[in-house]
Amino acid sequence: MGCCSTFKSFTFTILITILLWTSTTDHHTCNARKSWHTRTISTSLSKKKSTNHHHQHQHHHNGGKSKSKASSHKAPPSPKVKAPPAPPKVKTPLAPPIGKAPAAPPENDNGGGPVTDAAATYNVLDFGAKGDGSSDDTKAFEGAWAAACKVTGSKIIVPSPYKFLLGPITFSGPYCQHNIIFQIDGTIIAPSSFKPYGSGLFQWILFTKLVGLTIQGGGTVDGSGSIWWKDSRLNDPLDDELKLIIPINGTTKQTNNSSITNSLGGNMPSIKPTAIRFYGSFDVTVTGITIQNSPQCHLKFDNCVGVSVYNFHVSSPADSPNTDGIHLQNSKDVLIHTTDLSCGDDCVSIQTGCSNVYIHNVNCGPGHGISIGSLGKDNTKACVSNITVRDVMMHNTMNGVRIKTWQGGSGSVQNVQFSNIQVSEVQLPIVIDQFYCDKSTCKNQSSAVALSGINYERIRGTYTVKPVHFACSDSMPCTDVHLNGINLKPIQERYHLYDAFCWKTFGQLLSPAVPPVECLQVGKPSSSHVQADHDTC
């Protein structure tokens, strides 16, 4: 019994030892597993609430916002660093760098040219102009143009109240950018001597081979023309319609042919300059300014397409020779309106090569009216078509609406509309003259510029010499001449009065005319009067 008891005690002791050993081993194993699991969680979920100190730090760093969603991302600072800089880097190239356009602008192709610099203004005073009316400012204007030429939509400023003396000058393309504005608010004056013009120039101020140029402002361009008018030569052309105007007392006004002293710069050059001339240009505009006292034509467009003239003024004495207001030659798509023209020759002169010309709301006088021609001089070919002149006031002019051609010419004038013309004390309101001659004598020739489709509608007012004068070619009569609403009343002044006159003029009187125009022949001329194919336009 003692043995048995001893054995049991020993067995119990061994069991207790085994249990204790097993317990210790499990404890270490659990601790090892727990340690590995804890490291794994703390690495992947380091920002969860299980680590209170780290959570409190993140809570403070992010302004107290919950990180339950953000904790699945890597590091919150990364998006903040990358996202903000991106938008400005994308938008910056859209704006052109300031100041780079004038230095080296790319060529303008009307589709992808340089960006217009609205601030690109060039005041001629900043280029050395004095503006005192006596210093030569030509170089300053050339400098301003050289700078403006490089920038699309740039503007040259000619400020008021300065007066700028300018010699003969050219503002030229074709390498200038488009849509340049010439803002004339001051006064530009021409030299008061002939010397700067040498042996002669066709113009004082020339704009050539430009696109989209605009001359605007309220300033004045003065051509100092009086020295040129006084030195008129014996062979200066005279308006041939003077032969129709015979004073009652039998005397005619003589042209002053006195010469100018050398103090004005010597004898007059053989060519008198036009004040402003556009040559070979597209989409040009003249508005607001006044051109006065030009030596010859005031404003000329030669070989231009797309011309707009409005709110424009011409002012020269009635006796200033050959001072046309606006002269058009080889130009198309022309619009002239809301304009006052006072000069010594045609208010508007339309020469060969012109088509699609629209003139309306113009005041003309003094002057020689609105004329197509003269055409066909020296046996040349002339082509004019699609001309409309309407809503015009004419006061104290030599002619109203006129077409004039030379004998020996060829070509044609077609589709002309004169409508709603109000005349007041006009010597010859309606004129076609195919025997025009601005010399003392001209050779008789059979060929002529063909005239057809000429319409006169609502020509009304007063005349002082002859209401209608149609003198057409024997070999090439005028055809399709239509008159409607003609009401002209005579005023006896200092000239002989005459009845309406027609020669070789065929057409139709659509309503009774006052006074009667019974000389107009109805229908068509005989078939023998046919223009040769090589003469057609």
Side-chain angles (χ1 to χ4, degrees), residues 169-247:
I169 189 170
T170 298
F171 302 102
S172 63
Y175 302 108
C176 283
Q177 299 300 333
H178 299 181
N179 305 323
I180 297 173
I181 297 173
F182 221 104
Q183 182 77 30
I184 302 177
D185 294 315
T187 300
I188 299 174
I189 56 176
S192 57
S193 76
F194 305 133
K195 187 175 180 180
Y197 296 92
S199 60
L201 294 172
F202 286 108
Q203 65 281 314
W204 166 35
I205 300 172
L206 173 63
F207 294 91
T208 178
K209 299 180 181 179
L210 298 167
V211 177
L213 182 77
T214 296
I215 297 180
Q216 66 182 30
T220 299
V221 177
D222 191 326
S224 301
S226 60
I227 62 169
W228 301 84
W229 308 332
K230 291 178 182 178
D231 194 17
S232 297
R233 303 289 179 86
L234 290 172
N235 61 352
D236 270 0
L238 298 175
D239 198 314
D240 192 42
E241 260 58 77
L242 285 170
K243 67 180 182 291
L244 304 175
I245 302 168
I246 303 175

Side-chain angles (χ1 to χ4, degrees), residues 220-426:
T220 299
V221 177
D222 191 326
S224 301
S226 60
I227 62 169
W228 301 84
W229 308 332
K230 291 178 182 178
D231 194 17
S232 297
R233 303 289 179 86
L234 290 172
N235 61 352
D236 270 0
L238 298 175
D239 198 314
D240 192 42
E241 260 58 77
L242 285 170
K243 67 180 182 291
L244 304 175
I245 302 168
I246 303 175
I248 294 175
N249 61 11
T251 62
T252 58
K253 184 177 180 180
Q254 299 295 319
T255 303
N256 183 2
N257 293 307
S258 62
S259 62
I260 301 298
T261 63
N262 289 331
S263 63
L264 293 178
N267 291 328
M268 184 183 71
S270 58
I271 300 173
K272 294 181 180 180
T274 289
I276 296 180
R277 180 189 179 204
F278 284 88
Y279 177 82
S281 296
F282 295 84
D283 297 329
V284 296
T285 299
V286 177
T287 180
I289 68 168
T290 296
I291 304 179
Q292 65 186 27
N293 303 325
S294 177
Q296 195 159 299
C297 297
H298 288 76
L299 180 62
K300 179 183 288 188
F301 296 93
D302 191 355
N303 282 276
C304 294
V305 178
V307 171
S308 180
V309 180
Y310 61 96
N311 295 332
F312 170 68
H313 308 274
V314 163
S315 179
S316 287
D319 60 353
S320 56
N322 304 300
T323 53
D324 291 5
I326 301 174
H327 183 95
L328 306 175
Q329 184 171 332
N330 294 313
S331 294
K332 301 177 181 180
D333 304 331
V334 177
L335 174 62
I336 300 170
H337 69 93
T338 321
T339 291
D340 297 319
L341 306 171
S342 302
C343 54
D345 209 316
D346 296 328
C347 291
V348 181
S349 173
I350 302 169
Q351 299 292 322
T352 184
C354 291
S355 63
N356 300 332
V357 177
Y358 186 41
I359 300 169
H360 71 96
N361 294 99
V362 169
N363 294 322
C364 170
H368 292 189
I370 294 178
S371 296
I372 297 174
S374 59
L375 305 173
K377 186 175 182 180
D378 297 326
N379 304 105
T380 57
K381 182 176 180 179
C383 296
V384 175
S385 62
N386 300 330
I387 310 297
T388 298
V389 179
R390 58 181 289 267
D391 304 328
V392 173
M393 297 282 294
M394 296 189 181
H395 176 69
N396 193 26
T397 59
M398 176 187 291
N399 307 285
V401 289
R402 171 172 61 161
I403 301 174
K404 49 183 180 175
T405 69
W406 289 72
Q407 297 182 73
S410 62
S412 67
V413 175
Q414 302 180 70
N415 191 19
V416 178
Q417 180 78 27
F418 297 115
S419 176
N420 196 29
I421 312 296
Q422 185 70 37
V423 297
S424 174
E425 300 180 46
V426 171

